[in-house]
């Protein structure tokens, strides 16, 4: 599993012009949140998803070297199979390392559910849809997590 984690001031994902997931700073709440772009490969498991959710929740990349858990910062989870693109040969990426939808979707859901169980406020995109992601990257801070 690969997760590109971005510290954001706000982020939202839309499908066919409809906002399906949004995070932003609440009045008096955390000034930041996290956007998690999640890619799944063939040998990932629910245990992998849960471990990376815990890492996401506790990673100290927000203000004052604090975590989303420390600040109760919201997290937007968006599936992203292109994180497993192989561009070593030619000009057309290979997607062979990305797990197919029936394997990947339950693991992206498990990641989001594990974050929720840890106490996070979680918004999500729509698996398999053509999504438009709008974000304000803060810092910028972008971290790659692998498990």
């Amino acid at each position: 599993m690969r997760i590109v984690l971005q510290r954001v001031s706000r982020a939202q994902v839309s499908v066919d012009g409809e906002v399906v997931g949004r995070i932003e700073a609440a009045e008096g709440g955390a000034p930041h949140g996290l956007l998690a772009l999640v890619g799944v490969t063939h040998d990932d498991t629910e245990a992998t998803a849960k471990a990376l959710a815990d890492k996401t929740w506790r990673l100290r990349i927000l203000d004052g070297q604090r975590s989303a858990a420390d600040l109760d910062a919201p997290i937007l989870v968006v599936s992203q199979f292109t994180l497993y693109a192989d561009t070593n040969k030619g000009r057309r990426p290979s997607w062979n390392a990305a797990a197919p939808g029936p394997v990947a979707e339950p693991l992206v859901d498990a990641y989001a559910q594990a974050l929720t169980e840890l106490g996070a406020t979680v918004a999500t995109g729509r698996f398999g849809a053509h999504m438009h992601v709008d974000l304000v990257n803060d810092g910028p801070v972008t971290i790659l997590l692998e498990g």
Side-chain angles (χ1 to χ4, degrees):
M1 187 171 268
R2 287 183 183 154
I3 299 172
V4 172
L5 199 57
Q6 295 180 297
R7 185 173 75 185
V8 297
S9 298
R10 65 180 183 276
Q12 70 178 29
V13 60
S14 303
V15 175
D16 296 327
E18 174 194 354
V19 175
V20 296
R22 172 185 293 149
I23 62 167
E24 55 192 326
E27 189 172 322
H32 306 290
L34 297 172
L35 170 62
L37 303 173
V38 181
V40 177
T41 193
H42 302 281
D43 58 355
D44 288 331
T45 65
E46 192 170 322
T48 306
K50 288 180 178 182
L52 286 174
D54 187 71
K55 182 76 161 186
T56 298
W57 185 233
R58 300 181 196 292
L59 195 63
R60 298 184 173 279
I61 60 172
L62 299 177
D63 273 353
Q65 297 183 0
R66 292 179 289 174
S67 67
D70 295 332
L71 297 173
D72 196 27
I75 302 170
L76 176 59
V77 176
V78 177
S79 62
Q80 185 77 46
F81 79 92
T82 61
L83 292 176
Y84 278 100
D86 180 352
T87 59
N88 288 321
K89 294 181 181 178
R91 295 185 180 143
R92 185 174 300 152
S94 167
W95 311 112
N96 291 338
V103 173
E105 185 174 12
L107 292 176
V108 173
D109 290 346
Y111 172 79
Q113 181 61 37
L115 285 167
T116 300
E117 290 171 2
L118 288 166
T121 299
V122 177
T124 63
R126 187 173 296 152
F127 190 92
H130 183 96
M131 296 178 274
H132 292 263
V133 180
D134 296 305
L135 66 122
V136 176
N137 193 322
D138 183 67
V141 174
T142 302
I143 306 286
L144 177 63
L145 301 179
E146 291 191 270

